[in-house]
């Protein structure tokens, strides 16, 4: 097996939790006398995937963290506890302070004029938005950011306490085909399904909304 060398971009971007998980996973694996290939077989991953995780070339996914906990965690719950913090590490710097507040919100209101709110985005829609920026992201980084954005949807299903969420979007948002018409169609279908939730209210401001109030001739007095 040829070890996977860490990509410089990933190493620089890797947060403290990612680095700590990588070091702990390697230490525990070696303590158990397992090779990367042997651990990979136990977990259902390739040796290259284990190597990529240990070198931070590809930070552990949520699924991999659960597998690490099961096979080398030793009942300590280290990798289980790391899941929350690994997710925070995946968010861009400007969003990291907001993410924990959103995850704990009891009420949340959003008004969108350009795109569907990130909390309600489908993976395809999010991928089109995130991948459409410049400079271009690597495939690995793009998927990390998409996964992190979609993980926010867990707030919609939280039960204790239930979050009451209100979204207002301008009609133009629902007509703007980021990623193409098929992607938009899937996004609109997802929005319609989310609107059926008891804790979600979605309203659309039509393009004609408010026009009469702004164009009416003043009344002479």
């Amino acid at each position: 097996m040829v070890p996977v060398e860490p990509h410089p971009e990933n190493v620089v971007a890797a947060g403290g939790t990612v680095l700590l998980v990588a070091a702990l996973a390697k230490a525990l694996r070696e303590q158990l006398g397992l090779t990367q290939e042997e651990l990979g077989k136990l977990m259902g991953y390739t040796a290259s995937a284990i190597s990529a995780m240990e070198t931070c070339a590809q930070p552990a996914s949520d699924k991999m963290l659960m597998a690490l906990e099961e096979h080398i965690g030793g009942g300590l719950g280290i990798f289980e506890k790391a899941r929350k913090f690994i997710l925070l590490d995946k968010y861009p710097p400007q969003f990291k302070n907001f993410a924990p507040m959103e995850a704990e919100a009891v009420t949340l209101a959003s008004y969108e004029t350009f795109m569907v709110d990130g909390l309600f985005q489908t993976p395809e829609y999010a991928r089109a938005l995130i991948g459409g920026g410049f400079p271009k992201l690597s495939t690995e980084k793009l998927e990390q950011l998409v996964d992190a954005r979609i993980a926010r949807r867990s707030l919609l299903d939280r039960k204790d306490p239930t979050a009451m969420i209100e979204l207002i979007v301008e009609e133009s948002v629902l007509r703007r085909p980021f990623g193409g018409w098929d992607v938009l169609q899937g996004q609109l279908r997802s929005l319609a399904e989310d609107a059926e939730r008891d804790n979600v209210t979605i309203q659309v401001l039509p393009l004609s909304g408010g026009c009469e109030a702004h164009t009416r001739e003043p009344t002479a007095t």
Side-chain angles (χ1 to χ4, degrees), residues 21-42:
V21 164
L24 285 172
K26 182 178 180 180
L28 290 171
R29 173 181 64 77
E30 291 177 342
Q31 185 180 53
L32 293 171
L34 297 172
T35 65
Q36 292 177 339
E37 184 175 4
E38 289 169 340
L39 178 58
K41 286 182 178 180
L42 287 174

Side-chain angles (χ1 to χ4, degrees), residues 70-133:
E70 178 182 355
H71 294 286
I72 64 172
L76 299 175
I78 295 173
F79 299 107
E80 175 64 33
K81 292 180 175 66
R83 292 171 63 190
K84 172 183 176 180
F85 301 103
I86 284 276
L87 178 60
L88 288 177
D89 274 349
K90 292 181 179 180
Y91 290 124
Q94 67 271 21
F95 192 76
K96 285 187 177 181
N97 290 333
F98 179 78
M101 291 188 290
E102 180 186 66
E104 297 177 5
V106 177
T107 61
L108 194 65
S110 176
Y111 175 68
E112 296 294 338
T113 63
F114 186 64
M115 67 186 73
V116 174
D117 186 281
L119 185 63
F120 291 90
Q121 291 176 12
T122 64
E124 296 78 15
Y125 189 89
R127 189 173 293 108
L129 286 172
I130 298 171

Side-chain angles (χ1 to χ4, degrees), residues 8 46 66 111 124 133-134 148 163 168 174-175 182 197-198:
T46 64
M66 291 188 289
Y111 175 68
E124 296 78 15
F134 185 84
I168 301 175
L174 308 183
R175 296 177 177 274
D182 288 343
R197 296 172 180 266
D198 293 336

Side-chain angles (χ1 to χ4, degrees), residues 52-213:
M53 178 272 296
E54 292 184 352
T55 59
C56 297
Q58 179 64 48
S61 65
D62 196 61
K63 181 180 178 181
M64 181 179 281
L65 286 170
M66 291 188 289
L68 286 169
E69 181 64 39
E70 178 182 355
H71 294 286
I72 64 172
L76 299 175
I78 295 173
F79 299 107
E80 175 64 33
K81 292 180 175 66
R83 292 171 63 190
K84 172 183 176 180
F85 301 103
I86 284 276
L87 178 60
L88 288 177
D89 274 349
K90 292 181 179 180
Y91 290 124
Q94 67 271 21
F95 192 76
K96 285 187 177 181
N97 290 333
F98 179 78
M101 291 188 290
E102 180 186 66
E104 297 177 5
V106 177
T107 61
L108 194 65
S110 176
Y111 175 68
E112 296 294 338
T113 63
F114 186 64
M115 67 186 73
V116 174
D117 186 281
L119 185 63
F120 291 90
Q121 291 176 12
T122 64
E124 296 78 15
Y125 189 89
R127 189 173 293 108
L129 286 172
I130 298 171
F134 185 84
K136 287 293 184 181
L137 299 171
S138 65
T139 301
E140 292 79 8
K141 183 63 176 177
L142 173 60
E143 291 307 313
Q144 287 177 34
L145 291 173
V146 171
D147 288 346
R149 181 166 296 183
I150 300 307
R152 293 166 55 192
R153 287 181 57 84
S154 62
L155 179 64
L156 301 175
D157 297 311
R158 196 186 67 198
K159 301 300 183 185
D160 188 21
T162 299
M164 304 304 296
I165 303 168
E166 180 179 7
L167 171 65
I168 301 175
V169 295
E170 294 197 357
E171 182 182 342
S172 57
V173 171
L174 308 183
R175 296 177 177 274
R176 193 167 288 120
F178 288 114
W181 294 108
D182 288 343
V183 171
L184 178 61
Q185 185 180 47
Q187 178 62 73
L188 294 180
R189 186 180 299 110
S190 179
L191 272 179
E193 292 171 356
D194 286 334
E196 295 295 322
R197 296 172 180 266
D198 293 336
N199 62 319
V200 172
T201 300
I202 298 178
Q203 301 179 73
V204 179
L205 179 64
L207 292 174
S208 60
C211 290
E212 291 184 6

